[in-house]
Amino acid sequence: TYGYFTVRSGTAVGGTSTTANGSDQDGGGQADQQIFDDLIVVGSLCVGQDCSNGESFGFDTIRLKENNLRIHFQDTSNSASFPTNDWRIVINDSSNGGGNYFAVEDSSSSKQVFRIDAGAPTNALYVDSQGDLGVKTSAPVVDIHIVEGNTPTLRLEQDGSDGFSPQTWDLAGNEANFFIRDATNGSNLVMRIEPGADGSSIHIDNNSNVGFGTD
């Protein structure tokens, strides 16, 4: 193995390590370069097989550019008392005909725990400064605010994975009614409230007495 390094103020600050046949240690075809100090780039940075001389960065500070884009966070802790889980940011499938998406992967268990598909609408998921969550809105006014052009719906699906019978309920509302739908059994609307119903149309007090039109 041979190589070179640069001496600056009496310290080796960079260099390469190359095998005798001219290939690098990891098989990339060129010698790897190690920098034994902090690296400060005054300007933009392009990383990847398709970066070119004279790259036009626009407002990009860091650009990853090739046909398989991944950022891997590898925790090398080796003590049982320290967390060691690895994570990866994944951009698109690497296979022909695969999906277009941005995902966060728990690499230690090979599970995608968060994913955004290409084509998702503006403000598909929005968290404001109060911690309120907007779904398809950038102006949530309650803890969870869902906006939809036709019948915004919350689905509660028990999928049978824990051994209990599958059952799906929908909680939804539109210009005709607010309703609970038994999606598993014929999509029956088992409870409905029409807009304009009087206050305390159905009222249950703290003694479990039920009032119809009275509180």
Side-chain angles (χ1 to χ4, degrees):
T1 302
Y2 65 92
Y4 70 89
F5 61 90
T6 301
V7 176
R8 181 176 300 165
S9 300
T11 303
V13 296
T16 64
S17 177
T18 309
T19 60
N21 61 6
S23 63
D24 68 321
Q25 298 293 332
D26 62 9
Q30 295 184 7
D32 293 339
Q33 184 174 4
Q34 290 180 291
I35 299 173
F36 298 96
D37 201 346
D38 297 336
L39 175 64
I40 299 172
V41 177
V42 181
S44 296
L45 175 67
C46 186
V47 180
Q49 298 293 329
D50 296 322
C51 291
S52 60
N53 187 24
E55 192 82 27
S56 178
F57 285 97
F59 292 109
D60 295 345
T61 302
I62 298 176
R63 176 177 296 171
L64 306 183
K65 188 177 181 181
E66 61 180 52
N67 60 355
N68 289 295
L69 297 170
R70 306 289 187 269
I71 300 177
H72 190 196
F73 302 87
Q74 185 171 356
D75 193 319
T76 59
S77 301
N78 54 19
S79 171
S81 61
F82 286 90
T84 62
N85 208 84
D86 296 338
W87 298 87
R88 180 179 282 113
I89 293 176
V90 179
I91 306 299
N92 301 331
D93 283 332
S94 58
S95 58
N96 185 28
N100 294 287
Y101 59 84
F102 171 98
V104 176
E105 176 188 87
D106 180 348
S107 297
S108 293
S109 60
S110 299
K111 295 179 180 178
Q112 284 189 4
V113 297
F114 177 78
R115 171 167 165 158
I116 303 172
D117 278 357
T122 301
N123 300 318
L125 193 65
Y126 188 101
V127 181
D128 73 4
S129 59
Q130 304 299 316
D132 294 337
L133 174 64
V135 179
K136 300 181 184 178
T137 177
S138 62
V141 297
V142 293
D143 293 335
I144 300 177
H145 185 168
I146 303 173
V147 173
E148 179 56 66
N150 181 17
T151 314
T153 303
L154 175 65
R155 171 156 289 198
L156 307 175
E157 181 178 358
Q158 180 172 285
D159 63 3
S161 59
D162 286 343
F164 299 100
S165 298
Q167 173 64 42
T168 300
W169 298 92
D170 290 337
L171 186 70
N174 54 32
E175 77 287 352
N177 50 205
F178 167 85
F179 58 85
I180 296 176
R181 178 169 55 206
D182 184 352
T184 299
N185 295 286
S187 293
N188 291 325
L189 303 186
V190 296
M191 189 187 84
R192 302 174 68 177
I193 303 173
E194 292 186 1
D198 291 335
S200 295
S201 291
I202 300 177
H203 185 99
I204 303 175
D205 70 11
N206 57 11
N207 292 316
S208 298
N209 293 326
V210 180
F212 292 93
T214 178
D215 59 2

